[in-house]
Amino acid sequence: GESVGLHLPTLSVQEGDNSIINCAYSNSASDYFIWYKQESGKGPQFIIDIRSNMDKRQGQRVTVLLNKTVKHLSLQIAATQPGDSAVYFCAETLGTSGTYKYIFGTGTRLKVLA
Amino acid sequence: GAGVSQSPSNKVTEKGKDVELRCDPISGHTALYWYRQSLGQGLEFLIYFQGNSAPDKSGLPSDRFSAERTGGSVSTLTIQRTQQEDSAVYLCASSSRQGAYGYTFGSGTRLTVV
């Protein structure tokens, strides 16, 4: 069945280092992907997105990479800060389906060590 | 409003009771989604509204779950005869373009069934 998963449930990084969070997706037809950040007690917050016609997209301190060949998505956070500590979810959808129903992974907890 | 508002933020109910969870989407957002997040799990799709109609309710776990949306705005998720397995955070999200470019999530309602 369709699924979105993450390789690492918890990632600990030193403050100032770069973080890489990985995600595998199974639906090769998915054409739109989003990374969300969820802090404790809050709803998920949009970080960055990428469409299937791209392989890289950069934001402020974040970069998303998409490898359609192996159906892999990654989120890179540069110079990780304490405020980056949260759970990160990748989500996929088939935009042409019209409903934009997203499939979310179980999440990776990022812990930033001082 | 400025964001998606959900109420109550926390709800403790006895097994067998009915509960109603409310979502106020961002003004003007035509698409509204309900997701469920169990402890340590990803987000599970429940139902999608476009206006007042629900083209996709495939994620509702059982007939104890129902949802409605009125005036193209406020939505209510009702769970009848609650069970302990219903305990989770129920998240509502809205979007101006059927979820294109992602959703804006509310902070959720934490439901605990005792």
Side-chain angles (χ1 to χ4, degrees):
Chain A
E2 300 174 2
S3 66
V4 174
L6 297 171
H7 298 304
L8 299 173
T10 303
L11 177 65
S12 297
V13 297
Q14 290 291 332
E15 181 179 354
D17 287 352
N18 296 335
S19 303
I20 300 176
I21 301 172
N22 296 303
C23 174
Y25 64 94
S26 60
N27 186 0
S28 58
S30 291
D31 60 5
Y32 183 59
F33 306 86
I34 297 179
W35 279 100
Y36 282 94
K37 172 186 180 182
Q38 186 175 28
E39 297 175 282
S40 181
K42 298 182 179 179
Q45 178 185 6
F46 176 99
I47 301 175
I48 192 167
D49 62 352
I50 190 167
R51 298 199 174 277
S52 58
N53 61 353
M54 303 172 69
D55 54 19
K56 179 179 180 179
R57 189 152 190 249
Q58 289 184 294
Q60 186 176 14
R61 283 202 307 117
V62 294
T63 300
V64 55
L65 299 178
L66 175 63
N67 186 331
K68 295 182 289 293
T69 301
V70 295
K71 291 182 286 187
H72 184 267
L73 197 66
S74 69
L75 176 69
Q76 300 178 358
I77 304 174
T80 311
Q81 302 171 359
D84 295 328
S85 293
V87 176
Y88 291 81
F89 296 93
C90 61
E92 65 175 303
T93 192
L94 177 59
T96 54
S97 72
T99 63
Y100 283 94
K101 180 171 66 179
Y102 289 87
I103 299 170
F104 288 80
T106 54
T108 292
R109 181 175 300 281
L110 177 64
K111 292 185 178 180
V112 181
L113 308 174
Chain B
V4 178
S5 178
Q6 292 188 246
S7 61
S9 56
N10 281 283
K11 177 71 176 178
V12 180
T13 189
E14 293 181 351
K15 179 181 174 181
K17 300 282 190 180
D18 297 352
V19 294
E20 285 189 352
L21 312 180
R22 177 187 169 102
C23 173
D24 273 288
I26 291 174
S27 179
H29 279 192
T30 57
L32 186 147
Y33 301 77
W34 284 98
Y35 280 77
R36 179 169 71 174
Q37 185 175 27
S38 300
L39 185 63
Q41 299 298 311
L43 281 68
E44 174 190 7
F45 169 82
L46 297 178
I47 188 169
Y48 152 65
F49 286 93
Q50 179 59 34
N52 292 334
S53 64
D56 189 345
K57 53 180 72 172
S58 61
L60 295 177
S62 73
D63 58 8
R64 295 187 295 105
F65 287 72
S66 63
E68 65 175 11
R69 189 179 185 194
T70 56
S73 182
V74 173
S75 177
T76 302
L77 177 67
T78 300
I79 308 173
Q80 296 178 310
R81 305 180 302 282
T82 52
Q83 303 294 313
Q84 288 186 330
E85 60 263 28
D86 299 333
S87 296
V89 175
Y90 290 81
L91 289 161
C92 175
S94 70
S95 173
S96 60
R97 291 180 57 187
Q98 295 180 250
Y101 313 121
Y103 313 144
T104 301
F105 280 92
S107 295
T109 293
R110 180 174 297 279
L111 175 66
T112 304
V113 181
V114 298

